[in-house]
Amino acid sequence: MSRVRLTYRLDDGREREVSAPEGVTAFDAASWNGIAIDSTCGGHGTCRKCGVRIAEGTVEPTSLDSRAYEPDRLRDGWRLACRAVAREDLTIDVPPLVTRPKAATVGVGRQVILRPAVQKRYVELDEPDLADQRTDLDRLLHAIDDLEPRATLNVLRHLGRTLREADWKVTAVIVDELLIDVEPGDTTAHRYGIAFDLGTTTVVATLLDLSTGAPLAAASRLNSQQPFGADVITRISATMLDPEALPRLRDLAHTTLDELTQEVCKEASIDPAHVYEIAIAGNATMTHLALGIDPEPLGVAPFILSTRALPETTATDLGVNVHPSAQATVFPALGAYVGGDIIAGLLASGMDRDRRLRLFIDVGTNCEIVLGSVAGLVATAAPAGPAFEGAAIRCGMRAATGAIETVRLTPTSVTLGVIGDVEPRGLCGSGLVDAVAELVRLGLLDASGRLVTPDQAGDLADHFTNVNGERVFTLHDEIYLSQRDVRELQFAKAAIATGWTLLLEETGIKESEIAQVLLAGSFGSYLSPANAIRIGLVPRLAVPRVVSVGNVAGEGAKLALLSLRERAGASALMNEVRYVELSDRPDFNDRFIGNLAFP
Amino acid sequence: MSRVRLTYRLDDGREREVSAPEGVTAFDAASWNGIAIDSTCGGHGTCRKCGVRIAEGTVEPTSLDSRAYEPDRLRDGWRLACRAVAREDLTIDVPPLVTRPKAATVGVGRQVILRPAVQKRYVELDEPDLADQRTDLDRLLHAIDDLEPRATLNVLRHLGRTLREADWKVTAVIVDELLIDVEPGDTTAHRYGIAFDLGTTTVVATLLDLSTGAPLAAASRLNSQQPFGADVITRISATMLDPEALPRLRDLAHTTLDELTQEVCKEASIDPAHVYEIAIAGNATMTHLALGIDPEPLGVAPFILSTRALPETTATDLGVNVHPSAQATVFPALGAYVGGDIIAGLLASGMDRDRRLRLFIDVGTNCEIVLGSVAGLVATAAPAGPAFEGAAIRCGMRAATGAIETVRLTPTSVTLGVIGDVEPRGLCGSGLVDAVAELVRLGLLDASGRLVTPDQAGDLADHFTNVNGERVFTLHDEIYLSQRDVRELQFAKAAIATGWTLLLEETGIKESEIAQVLLAGSFGSYLSPANAIRIGLVPRLAVPRVVSVGNVAGEGAKLALLSLRERAGASALMNEVRYVELSDRPDFNDRFIGNLAFP
């Protein structure tokens, strides 16, 4: 995938230089980089407002350009930006804006020009008479000059009645290219969408005002599929054992999504019928289950997806009770273990639009690692195991109330941070990493991962005891870190480190060249960058270069709702990311063993 | 709409000259006229088998042509016929056929090349492995080289399981551009569709084998909506009076369609799950009601359609229980009173592909009249009233068992033809026309429409009596033709005659120039051409030039199932037919009164 350099010359004299994949339009590349170009149709080539002048480089005029511009202007380089495909480096003059497009900050500090798929148009129509017998639909569409949607059967069913009862004053509700409703009167002020991060453990919903980009309410709850297993593999296994499990898991996903929907709508006092689109970012298994797609091939070698890009789906297909014809945008998956959540995360963190060398790590049971550079993106998945979820750890628990999430050691003291400030009940993933990193720092755990004996532990000797014949480090009363827990963490971090080490080798890049590491996922956001470096989970960089970016999958889902361009960017990402299977490499085990030790 | 002349030079030395609307492709025009050109993709530009040489005239090569042909061949005039748009008269060399396409005779003697929207492809796929992790969908689509469908969510739901359980040997079921199913094993032998003529009174279903074009079973039954009224206006009124009427009428239409479906499948011993598409030709009101679209604007001036072309619909939307993802093709309507039945009828009778001057008359309560010539088609509707249905006639009845359908008079005798050869129970529309025409022929009814007195009736004097003070002509016992019945028929035929008279004036064509009159609709097929001429219902032509063409709407529905080209032809017809509103013309009433008399 080669890239081109586009220099936008703005009317205030500023210049903005961006890098974009060859073949994108000047409009998309601008939009992706927060450069505003006039447009009301959102790049469908119908509004003809996105004119720019190609000052350097060549863009062949399209038939739309020939209709939009006189020959003189065409020769002078004027083109519709939404049709101007960049095949080489270009310098582009952007005229002053006629309308000031709204923008919102979403994702990892990304300034996004608002152009949601959901559009409303208020129109006042002439009544038909014998001299003007246009159909109701033609009359309506003719009055909307900047969009050319097609109608659904549902709209047609009541179109005639609505037009007449509303005295021909109606609001058309359009989602991308579909006319999904015609509402009486002017309802343009009500235009909402819900972005979902559909996680294996937790599901998060954010209600967005699509007119302003503002989040109006957010809520999260546990995925109701939990009783079928904590991770994707156990849930897939359930469907293989019991034919009733798939419909049941689907319904549970629907219940979770719908409960969150009603919760955020209630919190913001919004009528769910004014929610016209939802966006969902989830891993491939969660997405398959929510749509009722048989997930078995995802769970057994060679790990096959049913499809990458999904067909048009509706909120109803996902059990979400909002507007009855609301559409659903489900992020496509790149592979069985690089799902829509990762694509959404890459979008939200702008991994494809940054010329710095960056490493994106979504830490979890299955860990996804993506290396981004001017040369494109390479991705892989590393089976880290459940250590970070607190499973397989003696006193492990999920990051919930009572979990020790931070551990701070001095040679004489142990200080614990507990979620909810209650009596500690167990140790969650970030507490595990903290505990191990602090023990390493104080020399109480050697590089090979062995806990010292009490006589080597100085003032902390009391904390080093045996439980069932195994050496442990006691954190609080009954809660301890065992020698085997340390081994579990070593396996997990070695898998991740092997992943990025091999990706670096694959691309011929040195560890020291990495400009930034993004730690994503709910676990990544709790992880202390310093300790992540200390245990060797991430490359050895200066601490400020390791950044917890939080729930980027959810941010990606918001982007998809707020901007058609960003959504197109997600599709483009599918072609820009190269997946590398590492698990079958002959040198994988050697590397893995080499990465077990602490740095 | 201008037309072009295309001369096809076949490999057996024959030449075929056809006229086609400017802008159609060489492939479509050939297909419409029964000229076979190789193709397996059906004109999607993917199979590259439809090459022809443009010997005279110019067709600009498209990007597909440039990929399909070397520059030498391009210069020599080689083009993909499915992409070769005719903008001027052309002479086209058609190479010998590699595959012999199947054809069927449908409609008014139309030879149609079979290319149904429903296609099946049997494939045997390679199993995936870690070196080939293509998605299940990509693997399947890659194995189908001549079609590029998109998948429905329903297919994806079970795709993985089906592929694996069937050991990667499956049959893809494609309807136009949609992959609707993947069936285990080779099911290519089973490919069916059902064509419906959805009439206000009667609904007819024909089950077609889409591999051969052969009809396997046909059935008809009364439209279950009858209790809501005999004609479209009373049914529309019902929906205006009672909000429950529309869903009820919709359900009744669904019941009728589904009962017929199960009946034809049973008769032919076909599994309804192997029916993948249905096609429906009906008037605008029947179509609106069946789809649950509010019909009120159709029933009141200015008579407005919700839409002409309908969105993608499924058999499920129409209550038809066949394959759960079966598609439905519903013929578009041109106006509130020129519905999909007329478009289907025009298609089946080839009105747009004949250079003769032809008049198409669908006789019924609402009578549609279309005049076709090289200059295109003009259509109008004439409110003939219910006389032809036997309503408003003293002894009138529908054309059912016991109805007098033919009447033959001599100066001394009356001979009746009765449906079912039983004792006569009443007089249906064709019997009415026969009786009046015979009375006119023998001078027993004068030109003004007055029945003679008994003393003027010779040996038939006994038949001329009075009932309730009204002069009548007795046909059999209690069954008679009254003076007022004659008036009803005069009104009906005058409305029709005024329709075609004004169409002729509108187009500057003389009655004598008409080459052929097609009488369509179930009533038209029972009507004797000689008597239709005698009472002035049709222009005064030699009897053989007036042809009863039967249920052409149903034939059009069959064509839509058998050929994507024909279906495209129906869409093209929408742009070729110009609707002329006659009822608001100032000279309408004058003409109407002038047409009341018998010729």
Side-chain angles (χ1 to χ4, degrees):
Chain A
M1 174 71 49
S2 67
R3 296 179 78 88
V4 292
R5 192 169 40 79
L6 305 180
T7 308
Y8 291 89
R9 299 200 297 217
L10 311 183
D11 77 297
D12 60 5
R14 284 184 307 144
E15 276 195 13
R16 286 282 305 279
E17 192 182 310
V18 308
S19 155
E22 187 190 316
V24 305
T25 66
F27 187 81
D28 283 358
S31 184
W32 289 347
N33 288 281
I35 299 166
I37 295 178
D38 264 324
S39 170
T40 58
C41 76
H44 284 75
T46 50
C47 77
R48 300 186 183 178
K49 291 183 180 157
C50 64
V52 295
R53 198 177 78 86
I54 309 297
E56 289 168 30
T58 304
V59 174
E60 288 300 322
T62 66
S63 58
L64 273 177
D65 289 311
S66 310
R67 270 178 274 159
Y69 297 109
E70 300 294 315
D72 279 1
R73 302 260 287 170
L74 278 180
R75 264 192 304 276
D76 196 30
W78 285 89
R79 300 286 184 272
L80 295 173
C82 73
R83 286 296 174 274
V85 173
R87 300 258 170 239
E88 59 184 48
D89 294 351
L90 300 174
T91 300
I92 300 162
D93 289 337
V94 179
L97 294 179
V98 176
T99 53
R100 172 66 49 187
K102 290 181 178 148
T105 303
V106 190
V108 184
R110 300 215 29 233
Q111 177 78 352
V112 171
I113 308 285
L114 292 188
R115 206 301 177 177
V118 176
Q119 294 289 314
K120 283 193 163 185
R121 295 289 182 273
Y122 173 66
V123 291
E124 301 187 355
L125 306 176
D126 296 328
E127 273 192 53
D129 56 37
L130 283 174
D132 174 10
Q133 289 182 315
R134 279 177 299 165
T135 68
D136 284 341
L137 183 62
D138 284 346
R139 183 175 307 277
L140 174 71
L141 295 185
H142 196 254
I144 300 171
D145 55 6
D146 63 338
L147 298 171
E148 292 171 0
R150 58 195 162 83
T152 63
L153 185 54
N154 276 336
V155 170
L156 292 170
R157 285 190 170 132
H158 68 83
L159 175 63
R161 186 166 300 259
T162 304
L163 290 176
R164 286 162 185 82
E165 288 181 354
D167 201 20
W168 305 93
K169 297 177 177 66
V170 295
T171 302
V173 186
I174 297 151
V175 184
D176 201 1
E177 299 190 327
L178 213 56
L179 175 71
I180 66 158
D181 206 353
V182 175
E183 299 173 336
D186 184 350
T187 66
T188 48
H190 304 287
R191 182 157 60 111
Y192 309 103
I194 301 179
F196 290 99
D197 169 17
L198 177 57
T200 309
T201 306
T202 307
V203 185
V204 184
T206 308
L207 175 69
L208 292 177
D209 184 335
L210 300 178
S211 305
T212 63
L216 302 181
S220 74
R221 54 178 66 200
L222 290 178
N223 189 326
S224 302
Q225 294 175 339
Q226 290 274 355
F228 281 84
D231 56 42
V232 299
I233 290 297
T234 49
R235 294 191 205 163
I236 294 172
S237 302
T239 69
M240 293 160 68
L241 297 170
D242 175 5
E244 286 309 302
L246 175 55
R248 184 91 189 96
L249 283 162
R250 182 199 59 210
D251 291 349
L252 288 168
H254 292 187
T255 304
T256 309
L257 294 170
D258 195 44
E259 284 173 352
L260 284 167
T261 296
Q262 305 313 320
E263 185 177 338
V264 291
C265 286
K266 195 171 173 194
E267 186 186 328
S269 301
I270 294 300
D271 181 352
H274 286 140
V275 174
Y276 303 102
E277 190 172 43
I278 63 173
I280 295 194
N283 65 49
T285 304
M286 287 308 108
T287 303
H288 275 56
L289 291 175
L291 289 168
I293 301 174
D294 182 10
E296 181 172 338
L298 295 173
V300 293
F303 315 112
I304 301 298
L305 279 177
S306 61
T307 182
R308 289 179 157 196
L310 288 151
E312 275 185 6
T313 48
T314 63
T316 305
D317 290 329
L318 289 149
V320 173
N321 292 301
V322 285
H323 185 283
S325 295
Q327 301 296 294
T329 282
V330 182
F331 272 86
L334 189 72
Y337 291 99
V338 181
D341 50 348
I342 301 306
I343 298 297
L346 294 178
L347 185 72
S349 49
M351 279 290 285
D352 55 331
R353 297 165 202 179
D354 199 307
R355 286 177 302 163
R356 289 177 294 170
L357 204 58
R358 301 204 291 173
L359 191 60
F360 175 100
I361 305 179
D362 189 315
V363 187
T365 307
N366 187 67
C367 180
E368 294 91 358
I369 304 164
V370 185
L371 182 69
S373 68
V374 280
L377 302 168
V378 284
T380 193
F388 297 119
E389 308 279 348
I393 299 297
R394 288 290 187 281
C395 299
M397 69 177 285
R398 274 191 316 100
T401 301
I404 297 170
E405 62 169 346
T406 61
V407 177
R408 177 89 193 133
L409 302 185
T410 68
T412 57
S413 69
V414 175
T415 312
L416 306 177
V418 180
I419 298 177
D421 271 330
V422 297
E423 193 68 3
R425 289 176 40 228
L427 186 64
C428 71
S430 58
L432 172 69
V433 172
D434 256 23
V436 170
E438 288 284 277
L439 289 169
V440 169
R441 186 172 61 86
L442 293 184
L444 300 172
L445 192 64
D446 70 16
S448 77
R450 205 179 348 241
L451 284 168
V452 296
T453 52
D455 57 301
Q456 299 170 306
D459 287 348
L460 292 176
D462 287 355
H463 287 266
F464 287 81
T465 56
N466 273 349
V467 172
N468 300 331
E470 187 188 4
R471 195 174 296 175
V472 307
F473 174 71
T474 301
L475 290 159
H476 181 87
D477 289 350
E478 306 279 283
I479 301 164
Y480 56 81
L481 173 79
S482 78
Q483 179 62 59
R484 262 202 265 173
D485 294 343
V486 176
R487 296 300 181 209
E488 289 287 344
L489 181 65
Q490 283 180 283
F491 282 125
K493 74 104 188 175
I496 295 170
T498 305
W500 55 256
T501 309
L502 288 175
L503 272 194
L504 288 175
E505 273 181 30
E506 185 82 17
T507 49
I509 289 168
K510 293 200 198 75
E511 194 174 329
S512 57
E513 293 178 66
I514 295 173
Q516 194 175 46
V517 175
L518 306 177
L519 290 174
S522 55
F523 179 68
S525 13
Y526 288 110
L527 200 59
S528 132
N531 287 341
I533 296 168
R534 193 161 289 134
I535 66 166
L537 192 148
V538 300
R540 246 164 308 162
L541 302 178
V543 172
R545 296 196 160 209
V546 179
V547 182
S548 289
V549 290
N551 174 14
V552 277
E555 290 295 306
K558 286 190 206 171
L559 279 172
L561 285 181
L562 295 179
S563 160
L564 272 180
R565 300 289 114 195
E566 293 293 333
R567 197 177 299 184
S571 300
L573 257 171
M574 299 294 289
N575 298 320
E576 285 192 68
V577 184
R578 183 165 61 90
Y579 182 75
V580 185
E581 181 67 52
L582 296 180
S583 61
D584 58 350
R585 280 180 59 141
D587 53 351
F588 184 88
N589 284 341
D590 271 2
R591 296 311 173 114
F592 179 77
I593 291 164
N595 279 315
L596 283 170
F598 295 109
Chain B
M1 177 67 53
S2 67
R3 297 179 78 87
V4 293
R5 191 169 41 78
L6 305 180
T7 309
Y8 291 89
R9 299 198 298 217
L10 312 181
D11 78 299
D12 60 4
R14 283 184 306 144
E15 275 194 12
R16 286 281 308 277
E17 191 182 310
V18 307
S19 155
E22 188 190 315
V24 305
T25 66
F27 186 80
D28 283 358
S31 183
W32 289 346
N33 288 280
I35 300 166
I37 294 179
D38 264 325
S39 170
T40 57
C41 76
H44 285 75
T46 49
C47 76
R48 300 186 181 179
K49 290 181 180 159
C50 65
V52 295
R53 199 177 77 85
I54 309 297
E56 289 167 29
T58 305
V59 174
E60 290 300 322
T62 66
S63 58
L64 272 177
D65 289 310
S66 310
R67 268 178 276 159
Y69 297 110
E70 300 293 314
D72 279 2
R73 300 262 288 168
L74 278 181
R75 265 192 301 278
D76 197 31
W78 283 89
R79 300 285 184 273
L80 296 174
C82 73
R83 285 296 174 274
V85 173
R87 301 257 170 240
E88 58 184 48
D89 294 351
L90 300 173
T91 300
I92 300 162
D93 289 339
V94 180
L97 294 178
V98 176
T99 52
R100 172 66 50 187
K102 287 179 182 150
T105 303
V106 193
V108 184
R110 301 212 32 230
Q111 178 80 355
V112 171
I113 309 286
L114 292 189
R115 206 302 177 175
V118 177
Q119 294 288 315
K120 283 191 164 187
R121 295 289 182 273
Y122 172 67
V123 293
E124 302 186 355
L125 306 177
D126 295 330
E127 273 192 54
D129 54 38
L130 282 175
D132 173 9
Q133 288 182 318
R134 278 177 298 165
T135 69
D136 284 343
L137 184 62
D138 284 347
R139 184 175 307 277
L140 174 71
L141 295 185
H142 196 254
I144 300 171
D145 54 6
D146 62 340
L147 298 172
E148 291 171 359
R150 59 196 160 84
T152 63
L153 185 55
N154 276 337
V155 171
L156 291 170
R157 285 189 169 132
H158 68 83
L159 176 63
R161 186 166 301 256
T162 304
L163 289 176
R164 286 161 184 82
E165 288 181 356
D167 201 21
W168 305 92
K169 297 178 178 66
V170 295
T171 302
V173 186
I174 296 151
V175 184
D176 203 1
E177 299 190 327
L178 213 57
L179 176 72
I180 66 158
D181 208 353
V182 174
E183 299 172 337
D186 184 350
T187 66
T188 49
H190 304 288
R191 181 158 60 113
Y192 308 103
I194 301 179
F196 290 99
D197 169 17
L198 176 57
T200 310
T201 307
T202 309
V203 185
V204 185
T206 308
L207 176 69
L208 292 177
D209 184 334
L210 300 178
S211 305
T212 63
L216 301 180
S220 73
R221 54 178 67 199
L222 290 178
N223 188 325
S224 303
Q225 294 175 339
Q226 289 274 354
F228 281 83
D231 55 42
V232 298
I233 291 295
T234 49
R235 293 190 205 163
I236 294 172
S237 304
T239 68
M240 293 161 67
L241 296 171
D242 174 7
E244 285 310 301
L246 174 56
R248 185 91 189 94
L249 282 161
R250 182 199 59 208
D251 291 350
L252 288 168
H254 292 186
T255 305
T256 311
L257 293 170
D258 194 44
E259 283 173 354
L260 285 166
T261 297
Q262 305 313 319
E263 185 177 341
V264 292
C265 286
K266 194 170 176 198
E267 187 186 329
S269 302
I270 293 301
D271 181 350
H274 286 139
V275 173
Y276 303 103
E277 189 172 43
I278 63 173
I280 295 195
N283 64 50
T285 305
M286 287 308 106
T287 303
H288 275 57
L289 290 176
L291 289 169
I293 302 175
D294 183 10
E296 182 173 337
L298 295 172
V300 293
F303 314 112
I304 302 298
L305 280 175
S306 62
T307 182
R308 288 178 158 199
L310 289 153
E312 276 186 4
T313 47
T314 63
T316 305
D317 290 328
L318 290 149
V320 173
N321 292 301
V322 285
H323 185 283
S325 296
Q327 300 296 295
T329 282
V330 182
F331 271 86
L334 189 71
Y337 291 97
V338 180
D341 51 348
I342 301 305
I343 298 296
L346 295 177
L347 184 73
S349 50
M351 279 288 286
D352 56 329
R353 297 161 204 185
D354 199 308
R355 286 177 302 162
R356 290 175 297 169
L357 203 60
R358 300 203 293 175
L359 190 62
F360 175 99
I361 304 179
D362 190 314
V363 187
T365 307
N366 186 66
C367 180
E368 295 90 358
I369 304 164
V370 185
L371 182 68
S373 69
V374 280
L377 301 169
V378 283
T380 193
F388 297 119
E389 307 279 348
I393 299 296
R394 288 290 186 283
C395 301
M397 68 176 286
R398 278 192 312 101
T401 303
I404 298 171
E405 62 168 346
T406 61
V407 178
R408 178 88 192 135
L409 302 185
T410 68
T412 57
S413 69
V414 175
T415 312
L416 305 176
V418 180
I419 297 177
D421 271 332
V422 297
E423 193 68 3
R425 289 175 40 229
L427 185 65
C428 71
S430 61
L432 173 70
V433 172
D434 257 24
V436 169
E438 288 286 274
L439 290 168
V440 169
R441 185 173 61 85
L442 293 183
L444 300 173
L445 192 63
D446 69 16
S448 77
R450 206 178 348 239
L451 285 168
V452 296
T453 53
D455 58 302
Q456 297 169 308
D459 288 349
L460 292 176
D462 287 356
H463 286 267
F464 287 80
T465 56
N466 274 349
V467 172
N468 299 332
E470 189 188 4
R471 196 174 296 175
V472 309
F473 172 73
T474 301
L475 290 157
H476 181 86
D477 289 352
E478 303 280 283
I479 301 165
Y480 55 83
L481 173 77
S482 80
Q483 180 62 59
R484 262 201 264 174
D485 294 345
V486 176
R487 295 301 182 209
E488 289 286 346
L489 181 64
Q490 282 179 283
F491 283 125
K493 74 106 187 174
I496 295 171
T498 304
W500 53 256
T501 309
L502 288 175
L503 272 193
L504 289 175
E505 273 180 30
E506 185 83 17
T507 49
I509 289 167
K510 293 200 200 72
E511 194 174 329
S512 58
E513 293 177 66
I514 295 172
Q516 195 177 47
V517 175
L518 306 176
L519 290 174
S522 55
F523 179 68
S525 14
Y526 288 111
L527 199 59
S528 132
N531 287 341
I533 296 167
R534 192 161 290 134
I535 66 165
L537 193 148
V538 300
R540 246 162 309 162
L541 303 177
V543 173
R545 296 197 159 206
V546 179
V547 183
S548 291
V549 289
N551 174 16
V552 276
E555 290 295 307
K558 285 189 207 170
L559 279 172
L561 286 181
L562 294 179
S563 161
L564 271 182
R565 300 288 114 195
E566 292 293 333
R567 195 177 300 185
S571 299
L573 257 171
M574 299 293 290
N575 298 321
E576 285 193 69
V577 184
R578 182 165 61 91
Y579 182 74
V580 184
E581 181 68 52
L582 295 180
S583 60
D584 59 349
R585 277 181 60 141
D587 54 350
F588 185 87
N589 284 341
D590 271 1
R591 297 309 175 113
F592 180 76
I593 291 165
N595 279 316
L596 283 169
F598 296 111

